[in-house]
Amino acid sequence: MTGPRPAPASRSAVRERWDARRRILLAVLSGNMLLDAVEVSVVLIALPTIADRLGLSPLAAQWLMSGFALGFAALLPLGPALAGRVGRRPVYLGAMLLFGLASVVGGLADSLAVLVVIRLLKGACAALTAPAGLAIISDIFPDGPQRRRALAVYSFFGAGGFTSGLLLGGALLEAGWRWVFVFPAPVALVLFLGGMRVLPRNQGGARPGLPRPALLREGSLLGSALGAASLNGTYQSLLLVMVFQSVGGFGWAPWCTALALLPACVPLAVTIPFAGRLIARYGGGRLITLGALFPLLGYGLYLARPEGSPYVQGMLPALLLVEAGFCCSFVALNMRATASLAPADRGAAVSLYQMCVQLGAAVLLPLVALLLTHGDGPRPALTLITAAGALGLLVPLAVRRVSARSSPGPDPRAPGGPAPYPSRTPPQGDVPHG
C-alpha cells in the first residue's frame, strides 16, 4: 500500500522543475530586452567622447544612435516571418550570437563607417529577438495572471534598461570609450548559453507572413504609431542636444551627465506596473493627449530658457515634463495601437507600430544633429524638436475621434498590451529611448 505514494511527489517535482525552467526562460528573455534597451542609452552618453576621440561632428556621431534605430526598423517587419520559417529558437540564438560578435568588432574599430555598420547590425539583431521573445512568452505562459506577470517583468526590464545604460555609460567611459561597444559581448554570451538550455525547440501555430502596410489605414493604429514616433523621436533628440551641451558646452563629466538625465527615465520604469490602473481610471485617450502635451511644454520651456541656465531651472523641469508624457502615454499608445484590430492582425500590427516608433528617432535625430552642427548654438535644433512635438500633439485628436467609434480596448489590467521594444526604451517606445 505504500508503493504508489511517491507518484504525487514525483509529479510535484516535475512541476517545480518546470516552474524553475520558466523562471530561467523569463530571465533570459528579459535580460535580452534589458541589453537591447541599454544599447540605446549607453551610446548616447558616449557620443561626445567618441566624437572628440575620432574627430567627428555631432551630425556624424549621431549615426551611432540613428543607425541602431534604422537597423531595428528595417528588419522588424521581417522578424516574425523569418522566425516562422526557420524557427524561433535558431533565429533568436543566431541573433544573440551575432549581437555578441558585433560588439567585439565594434570595440576594435576606429572607423565611423565600421561603427555605423555595427550599430545597424545590432539594431537588426534586436529586431529579431524582441518579437521572438514576446511570442515565446505568449506560448509558454498561460493566458491570464501568469502571462500578465511575465509581460510586466519583460516590460519592466525594457524600461529599466534605459536607466541602466545611462549609468553604465558614465562608468564605462572612465575606462575608455571602446568599452561602450565591447561590454555587451560577455552579457550576450551568457544569455546565449542560457537560451541554449531553456528556449523551446518547438513552436505551434501558423507561420506569420509579412505585415500588410494596408493595416496602417486603420485609424487607431496609424494615429498611435504617429504619436509614438513623435514621442520617441523628440525624446531622443532632446537628450542628444542635452548630452552635447552638458559635455561639450558645460564641461560636465560623462557620469555627471548620466546622473542629470536620470529624471528622464526612472519614473517610467517605476510606473509601468501601474499603467493598467491609470488607463482603467482615466481612459487611454485622455492619457495619450496628456502624453503629447507634457513633452511639448517641456520642449518649449527649455527653448525659452536662456542658454547656460542652472540645471534646476533649465534641464530638470524639461526632463520631468517629457518623462511625465511617457508615464501617461507609453503603455496607452501600445494598447490603443491594436485595440480595434482583429486578433489575427494584431501581431503584424505590433511590428508595424514598433517600426514607426523606431523610424521616429531614425528620421528626426539626423535633422536635429544637422542643426546642432551647423546652426548658431542649440536653439535651431530645439526649435525643430518643439515643432515636431507640436505636430505630435495634433495626433491624439484624430486617435480619440477614431476610438470613439471603435470597440473597447484590451483588458485594462494587462501591463500594457504589446510589450515595448527598445524604442527608448525607445521604443519601446520607446522606447523610444525606444
Side-chain angles (χ1 to χ4, degrees):
M1 295 179 63
T2 58
R5 290 184 179 177
S10 177
R11 288 194 296 269
S12 176
V14 170
R15 286 196 297 269
E16 289 178 3
R17 286 197 298 270
W18 171 241
D19 289 342
R21 186 181 183 89
R22 283 196 296 182
R23 286 196 293 269
I24 296 173
L25 174 63
L26 183 59
V28 169
L29 299 177
S30 299
N32 182 51
M33 187 67 169
L34 175 72
L35 185 60
D36 289 343
V38 165
E39 272 291 307
V40 179
S41 54
V42 72
V43 171
L44 170 68
I45 287 295
L47 283 183
T49 301
I50 296 172
D52 180 64
R53 297 294 188 272
L54 300 182
L56 305 175
S57 67
L59 176 59
Q62 67 80 31
W63 287 111
L64 300 177
M65 284 282 292
S66 57
F68 185 89
L70 190 59
F72 198 111
L75 205 61
L76 184 59
L78 305 177
L82 181 62
R85 179 174 296 273
V86 179
R88 290 181 192 140
R89 177 185 169 91
V91 167
Y92 195 99
L93 293 176
M96 283 303 305
L97 188 58
L98 186 58
F99 189 97
L101 292 174
S103 298
V104 174
V105 175
L108 300 175
D110 286 314
S111 166
L112 174 64
V114 174
L115 289 174
V116 172
V117 169
I118 291 299
R119 293 291 290 169
L120 284 165
L121 185 59
K122 294 175 82 170
C125 291
L128 293 176
T129 56
L134 284 175
I136 291 170
I137 288 176
S138 297
D139 283 349
I140 298 301
F141 292 87
D143 191 15
Q146 289 192 42
R147 186 181 299 174
R148 286 199 294 269
R149 285 196 295 270
L151 288 173
V153 172
Y154 191 73
S155 302
F156 176 80
F157 271 74
F162 199 89
T163 303
S164 304
L166 290 177
L167 298 175
L168 185 61
L172 290 173
L173 287 173
E174 296 294 323
W177 66 268
R178 295 185 183 278
W179 288 104
V180 170
F181 294 95
V182 173
F183 91 92
V187 180
L189 178 60
V190 171
L191 294 174
F192 172 80
L193 295 176
M196 288 282 290
R197 294 183 61 87
V198 298
L199 285 176
R201 294 185 178 276
N202 301 318
Q203 63 186 64
R207 292 180 178 179
L210 296 177
R212 295 181 291 108
L215 286 174
L216 286 173
R217 296 175 185 172
E218 204 286 323
S220 63
L221 174 59
L222 178 59
S224 300
L226 291 175
S230 171
L231 185 64
N232 186 46
T234 54
Y235 173 82
Q236 291 198 36
S237 297
L238 177 69
L239 296 188
L240 177 76
V241 172
M242 287 183 170
V243 164
F244 274 99
Q245 269 191 299
S246 60
V247 176
F250 304 156
W252 295 0
W255 64 268
C256 289
T257 302
L259 292 176
L261 296 184
L262 287 183
C265 50
V266 172
L268 178 63
V270 173
T271 57
I272 269 189
F274 311 102
R277 299 178 188 175
L278 287 175
I279 295 171
R281 181 169 182 177
Y282 298 107
R286 184 178 300 172
L287 291 175
I288 290 172
T289 303
L290 290 175
L293 176 61
F294 286 147
L296 177 59
L297 294 176
Y299 305 143
L301 176 64
Y302 195 58
L303 176 62
R305 292 292 185 187
E307 291 187 34
S309 295
Y311 173 75
V312 295
Q313 298 177 12
M315 281 190 182
L316 181 60
L319 292 173
L320 290 175
L321 283 168
V322 174
E323 188 66 0
F326 265 94
C327 292
C328 287
S329 64
F330 184 67
V331 173
L333 284 167
N334 275 271
M335 294 179 67
R336 182 62 58 84
T338 59
S340 60
L341 293 172
D345 291 329
R346 287 179 182 173
V350 170
S351 293
L352 290 173
Y353 170 80
Q354 295 294 346
M355 180 187 70
C356 293
V357 172
Q358 298 297 333
L359 286 175
V363 171
L364 194 57
L365 278 170
L367 297 176
V368 169
L370 177 66
L371 294 176
L372 193 61
T373 301
H374 300 292
D376 184 17
R379 291 198 178 279
L382 290 171
T383 301
L384 176 59
I385 294 171
T386 306
L391 290 176
L393 181 59
L394 299 177
V395 174
L397 301 178
V399 172
R400 295 188 70 173
R401 288 177 183 176
V402 172
S403 300
R405 298 191 297 268
S406 64
S407 59
D411 185 355
R413 295 172 298 174
Y421 297 160
S423 52
R424 53 149 290 185
T425 69
Q428 44 62 292
D430 339 81
V431 94
H433 359 335

Short mmCIF file of all heavy atoms in Angstrom, two decimals, residues 7 26 36 47 71 74 87 117 123 126 187 199 201 242 251 267 304 316 324 340 349 371 386 389 392 425:
data_model
loop_
_atom_site.label_atom_id
_atom_site.label_comp_id
_atom_site.label_asym_id
_atom_site.label_seq_id
_atom_site.Cartn_x
_atom_site.Cartn_y
_atom_site.Cartn_z
N ALA A 7 4.38 8.73 -6.27
CA ALA A 7 3.99 9.30 -7.57
C ALA A 7 3.57 10.76 -7.48
O ALA A 7 4.04 11.59 -8.25
CB ALA A 7 2.88 8.47 -8.20
N LEU A 26 12.24 33.26 -18.56
CA LEU A 26 11.84 34.67 -18.46
C LEU A 26 13.04 35.55 -18.15
O LEU A 26 13.15 36.67 -18.66
CB LEU A 26 10.76 34.83 -17.39
CG LEU A 26 10.20 36.26 -17.22
CD1 LEU A 26 9.58 36.76 -18.53
CD2 LEU A 26 9.15 36.29 -16.10
N ASP A 36 19.14 45.14 -25.00
CA ASP A 36 18.76 45.95 -26.15
C ASP A 36 18.48 47.39 -25.76
O ASP A 36 18.86 48.33 -26.48
CB ASP A 36 17.52 45.35 -26.82
CG ASP A 36 17.82 44.04 -27.54
OD1 ASP A 36 19.01 43.76 -27.79
OD2 ASP A 36 16.87 43.29 -27.83
N LEU A 47 28.48 59.59 -26.91
CA LEU A 47 28.63 60.28 -28.19
C LEU A 47 29.63 61.44 -28.15
O LEU A 47 30.49 61.53 -29.05
CB LEU A 47 27.27 60.77 -28.68
CG LEU A 47 26.33 59.72 -29.28
CD1 LEU A 47 25.06 60.38 -29.80
CD2 LEU A 47 27.01 58.95 -30.41
N GLY A 71 18.42 50.14 -38.23
CA GLY A 71 18.55 48.69 -38.38
C GLY A 71 17.39 47.95 -37.73
O GLY A 71 16.89 46.96 -38.28
N ALA A 74 14.26 48.50 -39.97
CA ALA A 74 14.34 47.85 -41.28
C ALA A 74 14.01 46.37 -41.20
O ALA A 74 13.35 45.82 -42.09
CB ALA A 74 15.73 48.06 -41.88
N GLY A 87 12.30 29.04 -37.57
CA GLY A 87 12.10 28.62 -36.19
C GLY A 87 12.55 29.71 -35.23
O GLY A 87 13.57 30.36 -35.47
N VAL A 117 27.99 50.56 -39.31
CA VAL A 117 27.54 49.25 -39.81
C VAL A 117 27.29 48.32 -38.63
O VAL A 117 26.30 47.56 -38.61
CB VAL A 117 28.58 48.65 -40.77
CG1 VAL A 117 28.24 47.19 -41.08
CG2 VAL A 117 28.62 49.46 -42.07
N GLY A 123 21.11 46.68 -34.28
CA GLY A 123 19.70 47.01 -34.31
C GLY A 123 18.88 45.94 -35.00
O GLY A 123 17.78 45.60 -34.57
N ALA A 126 18.44 43.03 -32.66
CA ALA A 126 17.40 43.33 -31.67
C ALA A 126 16.02 43.18 -32.28
O ALA A 126 15.08 42.74 -31.61
CB ALA A 126 17.59 44.75 -31.13
N VAL A 187 27.86 39.62 -21.88
CA VAL A 187 26.45 39.50 -21.47
C VAL A 187 25.67 38.71 -22.50
O VAL A 187 24.87 37.82 -22.17
CB VAL A 187 25.83 40.91 -21.27
CG1 VAL A 187 24.38 40.78 -20.85
CG2 VAL A 187 26.62 41.71 -20.24
N LEU A 199 15.36 27.72 -24.15
CA LEU A 199 14.45 28.12 -25.22
C LEU A 199 13.75 26.90 -25.81
O LEU A 199 14.40 25.88 -26.08
CB LEU A 199 15.21 28.84 -26.34
CG LEU A 199 15.64 30.28 -26.05
CD1 LEU A 199 16.46 30.82 -27.20
CD2 LEU A 199 14.44 31.18 -25.80
N ARG A 201 12.17 24.18 -28.25
CA ARG A 201 12.60 23.74 -29.57
C ARG A 201 11.45 23.73 -30.57
O ARG A 201 11.67 23.79 -31.77
CB ARG A 201 13.22 22.34 -29.49
CG ARG A 201 14.51 22.32 -28.69
CD ARG A 201 15.16 20.95 -28.71
NE ARG A 201 16.42 20.96 -27.98
CZ ARG A 201 17.58 21.34 -28.50
NH1 ARG A 201 17.63 21.73 -29.76
NH2 ARG A 201 18.69 21.33 -27.78
N MET A 242 21.02 67.74 -25.21
CA MET A 242 21.46 67.96 -23.83
C MET A 242 22.82 67.31 -23.56
O MET A 242 23.64 67.88 -22.83
CB MET A 242 20.41 67.40 -22.86
CG MET A 242 19.15 68.24 -22.78
SD MET A 242 18.00 67.58 -21.53
CE MET A 242 16.80 68.90 -21.45
N GLY A 251 31.10 71.38 -19.96
CA GLY A 251 32.29 70.72 -19.43
C GLY A 251 32.00 69.69 -18.36
O GLY A 251 32.88 69.38 -17.55
N PRO A 267 11.25 57.56 -13.76
CA PRO A 267 9.80 57.48 -13.45
C PRO A 267 9.05 56.46 -14.30
O PRO A 267 8.15 55.79 -13.80
CB PRO A 267 9.32 58.91 -13.73
CG PRO A 267 10.51 59.77 -13.47
CD PRO A 267 11.67 58.96 -13.98
N ALA A 304 12.77 78.26 -24.27
CA ALA A 304 12.61 79.63 -23.79
C ALA A 304 13.65 80.04 -22.76
O ALA A 304 13.90 81.23 -22.57
CB ALA A 304 11.20 79.80 -23.19
N LEU A 316 16.21 70.25 -15.75
CA LEU A 316 15.39 69.40 -14.88
C LEU A 316 13.90 69.55 -15.15
O LEU A 316 13.21 68.52 -15.33
CB LEU A 316 15.71 69.69 -13.42
CG LEU A 316 14.94 68.84 -12.40
CD1 LEU A 316 15.22 67.36 -12.62
CD2 LEU A 316 15.29 69.26 -10.97
N ALA A 324 7.00 62.81 -17.82
CA ALA A 324 5.57 62.73 -17.45
C ALA A 324 4.74 62.32 -18.65
O ALA A 324 3.77 61.55 -18.53
CB ALA A 324 5.10 64.08 -16.91
N SER A 340 -8.55 47.99 -31.93
CA SER A 340 -9.69 47.83 -32.83
C SER A 340 -9.42 46.84 -33.96
O SER A 340 -10.22 46.76 -34.89
CB SER A 340 -10.08 49.18 -33.42
OG SER A 340 -9.01 49.74 -34.14
N ALA A 349 0.37 44.08 -36.72
CA ALA A 349 0.18 45.48 -36.37
C ALA A 349 1.23 45.94 -35.37
O ALA A 349 1.73 47.07 -35.45
CB ALA A 349 -1.22 45.70 -35.81
N LEU A 371 21.24 70.56 -37.51
CA LEU A 371 21.08 71.91 -36.97
C LEU A 371 22.03 72.16 -35.80
O LEU A 371 22.54 73.27 -35.64
CB LEU A 371 19.64 72.14 -36.53
CG LEU A 371 18.59 72.14 -37.65
CD1 LEU A 371 17.19 72.27 -37.08
CD2 LEU A 371 18.87 73.26 -38.65
N THR A 386 10.72 71.17 -30.81
CA THR A 386 9.45 71.71 -30.33
C THR A 386 8.38 71.65 -31.41
O THR A 386 7.21 71.32 -31.13
CB THR A 386 9.65 73.16 -29.86
OG1 THR A 386 10.70 73.21 -28.89
CG2 THR A 386 8.37 73.71 -29.24
N GLY A 389 7.20 68.17 -31.67
CA GLY A 389 6.33 67.88 -30.54
C GLY A 389 4.94 68.48 -30.72
O GLY A 389 3.93 67.88 -30.33
N GLY A 392 3.08 66.29 -32.94
CA GLY A 392 2.68 65.10 -32.20
C GLY A 392 1.44 65.32 -31.36
O GLY A 392 0.66 64.39 -31.12
N THR A 425 13.17 53.23 -24.93
CA THR A 425 13.36 52.20 -24.09
C THR A 425 13.77 51.45 -24.84
O THR A 425 12.99 51.59 -25.71
CB THR A 425 12.14 51.51 -23.70
OG1 THR A 425 11.42 50.82 -24.38
CG2 THR A 425 11.17 52.05 -23.57
#
